[in-house]
Amino acid sequence: MSTVSTAATTADAALKQAGETTTPLPLPLPSRALDWRLRFGALSLIWGFSFLLIKVGTHGYAPFQVTFGRLLFGTVVLAAAMAVKRERLPRGARTWAHLSVAAFLLNALPFSLFAYSELTIPSTLAGICNATSPLWGMALSLVALSEDRPTRVRVAGLGLGFLGVLTVLGAWQGFSGLDARGTAMALLASLSYPIGWIYVRRTLAGTTVSHLSLTGAQLLLATLQLAFVTPLFTSIPTHFPALPLLAIAALGALGTGLAVLLQYGLVAEVGPTTAQMVTYFIPVIATAAGVAMLGESLTWSTPVGAVIVLAGAALTQVRARGKR
């Protein structure tokens, strides 16, 4: 999921936990005054536009700088929410150690991979690659989660989804016209999310610490990770282009900070199944935004393949009758 962006964040991990292990704590945010459908639409737009914002950010700054800024602004938003709710950071060295791994797998690594991938591939393709995350998730769960047994429908969805990936990439043309390295980075970013989800589920599920506190700590750790890495691979900018900087600020404050809070509210109000449907709107919005605002080209195989990917991803989420 930003899948996000989108996606790609701890909100997705919390959503996974909320559906199968724990119940998220409702957040008394002002957005609760809005109908949940409006907030669902806002979340879809925010995460859908995240790939456009990444592309704009890389026009003025190095990918690691884009990721660091994104995490920094997102952490500020989560810190403000924690201050309003009067929540503290979690305690315990073991919890912080697990959160460090989660921060790398769910934030630092995928965010950086998407930023680097968009140096050479369109934001539309990056958004569609993000939609493969549920497919990777099911494939990994068959190995890592013994209680998550496949059904024929889910296996069919897995095969259909990866057929859609081949359609998007134009496999029958030998993948001509695509940058293999950039595409591989985007697909690896989408793979990193379910690896992180499984890790969180095995190590942090059932904790008494609130999701808001865990997420705030996780984003803080991811920011510190990028603060260490970024100076090693980039130099301090000699000038600061305004538009890319604004894009990075919006990417962090909205696409990483506010989006997490919106999703927690949706999970608490309408449940994880409905909230998770936002995943299927992200590539549509990302494609429309890239074509309309960045002038990115679009061949017939891209939207057709994206529809196949989303259909396959939807089938992989089908559970046997009677199973939660």
Side-chain angles (χ1 to χ4, degrees), residues 20 29 39 76 165 192 194 255 259 266 323:
E20 301 182 21
L29 299 173
R39 286 179 278 127
V76 169
V165 174
S192 181
L266 287 172
K323 181 177 179 180

Side-chain angles (χ1 to χ4, degrees), residues 210-225:
S210 76
H211 289 172
L212 177 60
S213 178
L214 289 174
T215 304
Q218 182 177 308
L219 284 183
L220 174 61
L221 288 168
T223 304
L224 293 176
Q225 290 171 1

Side-chain angles (χ1 to χ4, degrees), residues 15-16 59 168 176 220 236 252 265 307 310 318:
L15 186 152
K16 193 73 173 180
H59 288 169
V168 170
S176 61
L220 174 61
I236 299 176
V307 170
L310 294 177
V318 175

Side-chain angles (χ1 to χ4, degrees), residues 265-323:
L266 287 172
V267 169
E269 183 172 347
V270 299
T273 301
T274 300
Q276 193 176 24
M277 292 298 292
V278 71
T279 303
Y280 307 114
F281 291 88
I282 293 173
V284 177
I285 295 171
T287 299
V291 172
M293 303 186 69
L294 296 179
E296 296 177 346
S297 60
L298 188 67
T299 61
W300 69 268
S301 62
T302 301
V304 170
V307 170
I308 298 174
V309 168
L310 294 177
L315 289 177
T316 64
Q317 304 306 304
V318 175
R319 294 294 189 272
R321 182 175 297 178
K323 181 177 179 180

Side-chain angles (χ1 to χ4, degrees), residues 93-158:
R94 187 174 182 179
T95 298
W96 280 91
H98 290 317
L99 285 173
S100 296
V101 178
F104 176 75
L105 293 173
L106 292 170
N107 302 115
L109 179 60
F111 290 1
S112 299
L113 285 172
F114 272 125
Y116 268 102
S117 73
E118 292 199 38
L119 292 177
T120 55
I121 67 172
S123 64
T124 55
L125 179 56
I128 293 172
C129 287
N130 181 73
T132 65
S133 192
L135 305 178
W136 296 117
M138 181 197 162
L140 289 171
S141 69
L142 299 182
V143 178
L145 301 175
S146 59
E147 73 274 16
D148 198 2
R149 290 292 122 208
T151 63
R152 292 181 180 180
V153 172
R154 299 182 71 198
V155 172
L158 185 65

Side-chain angles (χ1 to χ4, degrees), residues 17-18 20-23 200-211 214:
Q17 293 179 31
E20 301 182 21
T21 56
T22 62
T23 302
V200 167
R201 181 174 173 180
R202 285 187 174 278
T203 59
L204 294 172
T207 180
T208 57
V209 182
S210 76
H211 289 172
L214 289 174

Side-chain angles (χ1 to χ4, degrees), residues 3 12 17 37 74 89 137 142 144 161-162 171-173 189 195 214-215 226 233 246 248 258-259 262 269 282 305:
T3 338
D12 290 319
Q17 293 179 31
R37 298 171 186 83
L89 291 171
L142 299 182
F162 284 113
W172 65 91
Q173 298 175 338
I195 294 175
L214 289 174
T215 304
L226 263 294
F233 295 94
L246 289 175
I248 294 171
L258 179 62
L262 285 174
E269 183 172 347
I282 293 173

